[in-house]
Amino acid sequence: MDVFSALQTAVSGMKAQGFSLENISGNIANSQTTGFKRVDTSFVDLVAEQAPSRQVSGSVRANSVLTNSIQGNIIATETPTNIALNGPGFFAVQTKTSDVNGQTSFSPENLYTRRGDFKPDDEGYLRNGGGAYLTGTNLNPITGNATSQGPIQISKLPIPGKATSAINYAAELPQAPSKDLIGTGLAGNPNPIVLTGVGGGTVASGVEAKKLMDGSMAGPMLTTYSAIGAPVDLKTVWTKVQDAAAATTITNDDGTTTSVPAKNAVWNLFYANDTTVSGADSSWKNAGTAFEFDAGGTLVKPDGGSITLAAPTIDGVSLGPITINYGQGLTAFGRGEVVTSTLNQDGFTSGSYKDSYISEDGDVVANYSNGNSVTIAKVKVVQFTNPDGLKADSSGNYRQTLDSGNPLVGLNGTTIEGQNIEQSNTDIASEFSKMIVTQQAYSANTKVISTAQDMMSSLINIIR
């Protein structure tokens, strides 16, 4: 390498250090930018093609190195819809392209960001400070079915009532209840398993209902809802109609024997047709199922995990079919009273919108004045095999490239921190240290130019 090549190399060194300073400057400028990922600098030496014995240091090239895989600090905010990713991944976002006659249009392609300072705009769309709109799956608040894919929009319209269609129930029935119907007229032959009482499964109010009350124990009691969201109290009782018995052999008078098979304990469930009066003043409807438990208290029949009340009418209000889901949660080996461990239902009355938040699973949940919290959308989160291969776009967004690979949809172990945001991963102290080193390297390159100039001057002075 001659003096002139040394000059060129020093110039490339100054350019490279200037490029590094540019990245450092950008990192420091964005040290308070939400979700910003600093840009580091790597240097690559360029060696001119020479014989091995003649190779010398050549010029240098500076390249940007993204740090998308390095997480910044997560801090709490006061906005419920602010979110941060704790782990790898990016929010899928879109940008607004037009807003004509109240019709908002968005870009067809997704961008990706870690900037999670989202909050609803005037149309209810979740937009962050960089102007990007959070995307995901919008859901029908009543049915829970997906309605659209794209920017998430929070509707502030009132939510209509929803009829109760399912009750989740788990309980422990006593193995030896303090009262039952065994030996009474209600539980007598010819059908002691499924009570029919008077009127095809209905125990009439009055004397018959009093017998039922005297031999039953409180069952699940909760408020259900009609198709228009009207509250209707469901009041039920459990009653034991048959004890379990082991298999036996009976010796007859003629010396022969008869085998008597084992019997399971049997319980029936009744619900009141009128909850505005005392128990004996209401008629009671049998749920229509014999619940059989073996001697150990395990439910053996029915084995489907649920039963259905076929459109009950309570307090004069007609309800739709209600499925009682008990799964494996109904047993009969307890003591004393019926102990309920799970009891909830899926209906609700109408209510006005209050506020919303985002759960750690990415569910956008709206709270209503009726006390219900309903999932109205699911946030779309993606991960990349090589997140540092994404191409940086403006406003903290990134674009997919060949180097990044295709997006993999799902949290995959990452959690969403609601009412939090991720800070820039820039470390000011580190950036100042790098700036000092860059400054020294830049100054050193200028010294090379000064020295090369002196050497060229000496060469020119030889001929004088």
Side-chain angles (χ1 to χ4, degrees), residues 69-394:
S69 57
I70 300 177
Q71 181 170 310
N73 294 328
I74 295 177
I75 61 171
T77 69
E78 296 181 356
T79 305
T81 52
N82 283 177
I83 47 179
L85 290 175
N86 190 0
F90 296 84
F91 300 114
V93 295
Q94 292 180 359
T95 57
K96 182 184 288 188
T97 56
S98 65
D99 192 354
V100 181
N101 297 326
Q103 297 295 321
T104 303
S105 298
F106 296 93
S107 60
E109 65 172 332
N110 282 335
L111 299 175
Y112 307 97
T113 187
R114 296 279 295 196
R115 180 165 190 159
D117 55 339
F118 296 101
K119 60 181 180 179
D121 66 3
D122 57 347
E123 295 180 271
Y125 290 106
L126 290 176
R127 181 179 63 187
N128 67 14
Y133 292 80
L134 182 64
T135 68
T137 303
N138 289 293
L139 306 177
N140 184 311
I142 303 297
T143 63
N145 297 328
T147 58
S148 64
Q149 301 283 338
I152 294 174
Q153 186 177 26
I154 298 176
S155 173
K156 295 185 179 181
L157 295 175
I159 187 173
K162 176 186 177 183
T164 297
S165 61
I167 294 174
N168 298 315
Y169 177 57
E172 186 179 87
L173 307 181
Q175 194 167 38
S178 58
K179 50 185 180 178
D180 56 44
L181 291 182
I182 299 172
T184 68
L186 283 178
N189 289 323
N191 188 5
I193 297 177
V194 179
L195 298 184
T196 57
V198 178
T202 300
V203 175
S205 59
V207 175
E208 297 298 309
K210 187 176 186 307
K211 289 182 181 179
L212 178 63
M213 295 296 98
D214 291 342
S216 62
M217 312 186 79
M221 301 180 189
L222 77 168
T223 300
T224 60
Y225 297 89
S226 67
I228 61 173
V232 179
D233 291 333
L234 177 66
K235 182 178 181 180
T236 67
V237 294
W238 282 105
T239 184
K240 192 175 186 180
V241 298
Q242 178 177 290
D243 278 327
T248 59
T249 301
I250 300 175
T251 302
N252 302 316
D253 294 339
D254 59 0
T256 60
T257 59
T258 302
S259 298
V260 179
K263 293 192 301 181
N264 291 323
V266 179
W267 288 75
N268 280 188
L269 181 67
F270 289 81
Y271 63 86
N273 294 317
D274 188 352
T275 63
T276 63
V277 297
S278 63
D281 293 331
S282 171
S283 59
W284 291 78
K285 179 73 173 179
N286 195 313
T289 300
F291 293 86
E292 296 189 29
F293 299 87
D294 62 20
T298 301
L299 181 67
V300 292
K301 289 182 181 180
D303 56 3
S306 66
I307 63 169
T308 300
L309 304 182
T313 298
I314 302 174
D315 298 340
V317 179
S318 297
L319 303 175
I322 300 177
T323 300
I324 301 178
N325 300 306
Y326 49 84
Q328 303 296 317
L330 195 58
T331 60
F333 50 76
R335 295 181 181 274
E337 302 296 321
V338 176
V339 178
T340 300
S341 56
T342 300
L343 183 59
N344 57 70
Q345 54 85 45
D346 63 348
F348 47 80
T349 188
S350 60
S352 57
Y353 174 84
K354 293 178 60 180
D355 52 34
S356 56
Y357 67 93
I358 301 177
S359 71
E360 66 177 12
D361 295 323
D363 294 338
V364 181
V365 182
N367 296 318
Y368 294 89
S369 60
N370 57 11
N372 284 86
S373 298
V374 181
T375 299
I376 58 175
K378 290 185 176 294
V379 174
K380 183 177 181 180
V381 175
V382 303
Q383 296 185 13
F384 292 91
T385 304
N386 177 25
D388 292 338
L390 293 169
K391 180 182 179 181
D393 199 4
S394 61

